[in-house]
Amino acid sequence: MDDYDIENHPDLMDPDWRRHAEKEAWVDLRRNRRRGKWRKWLVTAAVVVVAVVGAGFGLYLWGKSTAEQSTDADVGAPASAVVATTEAAPTELPEDGYVDLTRPFEDTPAQNWAEGIAGLTIPAATKVGSFSAKQVGQAEDQVKQAITVAGLDPDTLDRHNPAKYVALIAPAERPDIQADPQGYLIYLADGYHLLPVSPRMTGAMTVKPGRTGELLIHTSYVVAYAFDPGDRQVDGPADQVPFVRVDADYAVRSGSQWQASSRGLTVDKTSSYYDSVACTNDEKLTPAFSDRDYAATSVSPEPGRFDPSKPMPTLDNCHSTPG
């Protein structure tokens, strides 16, 4: 084959290589793109084509040079010699760039977070105050289940049904939740649905003794959701991946010193902060791609947006709801 017949070279026809080259082209595009969205459609197609061809030619020459320098021992090296590495996740959420709907969290702060509740670090159950290690473990499981139902369960997210969450809470606290479920739960906006991938989470739980017969459990976490854009325009990860920061204080109460209706799991305090969402008035989680003017109310640069170990953001961001 003619070395200069680049377009028909077998390497360039390989789907995995083409996807890699396309991603490289989008990385270069993001670095040089103007932030003004109204101009991007005039230049995107031409820039991507040129970047893909350029990246392809460079990768082809590099691969050919490497192959020519390889020894027979290299060719026969076992697969276990290849060490997989995890790229560091971005600290900011890109507004513009390539989006792979099968891997929507790539190139976002949630890139390396665990799926669902597995992203919440839960301490080993040990004796705390008057609570045995077994009781502490049971209390941690109660809070874990409440967080799962509140922000990860389809009955809550899609069907806006608070029944599962209410059933987990002590009877005395249930009327408050039923009167204002969105103060405790995440509801997706009507007509919008998540992609068939699990939300990503990072955060931690801490446990300490409270009053007699009371165990206090604090949680601080961030959840990233990936919305299905359907046929809507998506310019980058920020358009479809909102982040919800939650700080919540729970208490588990037991013993005769508490009224029967107050025993069990209660929610003492909760606060939340929504990032990269459309600013609507119904307080439901709405992807930014539903509001083409969302950049006009861009989020604050406070570090707590993506890092639950930092203080909760305080500047207004449409859905900031301090408790």
Side-chain angles (χ1 to χ4, degrees):
M1 176 182 292
D2 186 347
D3 285 348
Y4 293 97
D5 185 16
I6 299 302
E7 293 182 352
N8 297 315
H9 193 279
D11 287 350
L12 301 185
M13 304 304 292
D14 180 71
D16 292 335
W17 181 92
R18 290 169 65 92
R19 182 172 60 198
H20 177 75
E22 183 180 359
K23 179 179 177 181
E24 290 297 318
W26 275 108
V27 170
D28 290 338
L29 178 60
R30 288 203 301 271
R31 289 170 180 164
N32 297 290
R33 222 173 189 176
R34 293 181 182 273
R35 292 180 64 84
K37 292 180 180 291
W38 65 276
R39 298 190 61 181
K40 72 178 63 177
W41 292 108
L42 299 178
V43 299
T44 297
V47 172
V48 171
V49 170
V50 171
V52 168
V53 173
F57 184 69
L59 286 174
Y60 164 70
L61 293 180
W62 173 85
K64 181 179 179 183
S65 174
T66 301
E68 290 173 347
Q69 296 176 21
S70 298
T71 65
D72 292 339
D74 292 330
V75 174
S80 60
V82 179
V83 179
T85 59
T86 301
E87 295 182 4
T91 56
E92 292 297 329
L93 185 61
E95 291 186 13
D96 303 312
Y98 173 72
V99 175
D100 183 345
L101 296 183
T102 66
R103 296 181 294 177
F105 299 109
E106 190 169 340
D107 296 327
T108 78
Q111 175 177 292
N112 301 326
W113 296 357
E115 294 184 355
I117 196 65
L120 185 70
T121 300
I122 300 174
T126 59
K127 186 178 185 302
V128 177
S130 62
F131 286 79
S132 68
K134 181 179 179 180
Q135 290 174 317
V136 170
Q138 292 172 338
E140 291 175 342
D141 285 343
Q142 286 181 279
V143 172
K144 178 181 175 180
Q145 186 176 3
I147 293 173
T148 301
V149 171
L152 300 171
D153 192 299
D155 271 344
T156 303
L157 295 171
D158 295 311
R159 292 181 277 279
H160 304 167
N161 184 354
K164 288 183 180 179
Y165 188 82
V166 171
L168 297 172
I169 305 302
E173 303 291 326
R174 293 173 184 174
D176 289 340
I177 298 172
Q178 291 169 324
D180 181 25
Q182 289 177 232
Y184 302 83
L185 311 175
I186 300 295
Y187 286 175
L188 304 186
D190 297 332
Y192 296 94
H193 305 283
L194 300 181
L195 288 166
V197 295
S198 176
R200 299 287 184 90
M201 176 186 284
T202 186
M205 173 191 296
T206 57
V207 181
K208 67 179 182 179
R211 292 169 287 182
T212 302
E214 182 181 56
L215 191 67
L216 302 179
I217 300 178
H218 174 74
T219 61
S220 185
Y221 57 91
V222 183
V223 182
Y225 299 87
F227 276 88
D228 184 350
D231 58 359
R232 300 175 181 88
Q233 175 185 330
V234 174
D235 298 324
D239 271 4
Q240 68 175 115
V241 180
F243 287 70
V244 179
R245 164 74 187 271
V246 177
D247 282 7
D249 291 319
Y250 295 86
V252 175
R253 298 178 177 125
S254 64
S256 58
Q257 64 271 34
W258 298 100
Q259 294 183 356
S261 62
S262 297
R263 295 172 194 161
L265 181 66
T266 64
V267 187
D268 280 358
K269 181 180 179 182
T270 182
S271 59
S272 60
Y273 188 89
Y274 290 60
D275 183 280
S276 294
V277 295
C279 294
T280 60
N281 295 321
D282 60 8
E283 294 187 357
K284 294 184 176 72
L285 187 63
T286 310
F289 63 68
S290 69
D291 178 6
R292 301 318 305 170
D293 294 326
Y294 83 96
T297 54
S298 59
V299 297
S300 74
E302 296 177 89
R305 293 179 295 149
F306 308 125
D307 185 351
S309 69
K310 301 292 193 297
M312 173 74 79
T314 56
L315 298 181
D316 180 58
N317 186 36
C318 303
H319 287 301
S320 180
T321 56

